[in-house]
Amino acid sequence: MLLAGLVYLGFCLSTGMSLPCPFRLLTGYLCPGCGVTHMALALAHGDLSGAMAANPAILLTAPLLLALQIREDAYWIRTGEITDSDFYLPQILLAVFLLFGVWRNLAG
């Protein structure tokens, strides 16, 4: 997936084109993930404020999610078992992203 994301980023950087959000095309509303491509492009150019403006929820949670995934992977490599220590984390993040999606559409 990382390779696919890097290829897509390279495509966007070289052509200036990106895929439109299907949710926004169908509803006219921003989904919680809208702006991720713009965020990645801004980060690729070193523009942290532009990345924050594009999608603050994902920009702020991405380092936490990456750290948790690395921890989970390391535990699996060491023990061969999958831990359920963060069982409620996906539900909490889903709620946060859904609330962010509602807020960003109500706020303007």
Side-chain angles (χ1 to χ4, degrees):
M1 274 183 96
L2 179 61
L3 180 60
L6 291 173
V7 168
Y8 179 61
L9 178 62
F11 172 80
C12 293
L13 286 170
S14 64
T15 66
M17 296 186 307
S18 64
L19 297 172
C21 173
F23 181 82
R24 189 166 189 187
L25 285 174
L26 290 172
T27 67
Y29 294 107
L30 297 169
C31 79
C34 277
V36 170
T37 301
H38 293 286
M39 181 190 75
L41 292 171
L43 288 174
H45 288 105
D47 181 10
L48 190 58
S49 64
M52 181 65 96
N55 194 314
I58 292 182
L59 182 66
L60 295 174
T61 58
L64 170 66
L65 294 173
L66 181 61
L68 290 172
Q69 187 62 54
I70 290 170
R71 186 184 72 166
E72 295 287 322
D73 291 348
Y75 181 82
W76 178 74
I77 289 168
R78 280 194 322 273
T79 66
E81 298 174 5
I82 297 173
T83 178
D84 62 351
S85 61
D86 298 320
F87 180 73
Y88 292 108
L89 185 62
Q91 291 90 338
I92 292 169
L93 287 174
L94 179 62
V96 166
F97 289 133
L98 287 176
L99 289 172
F100 170 70
V102 170
W103 172 81
R104 75 189 314 196
N105 286 293
L106 292 177

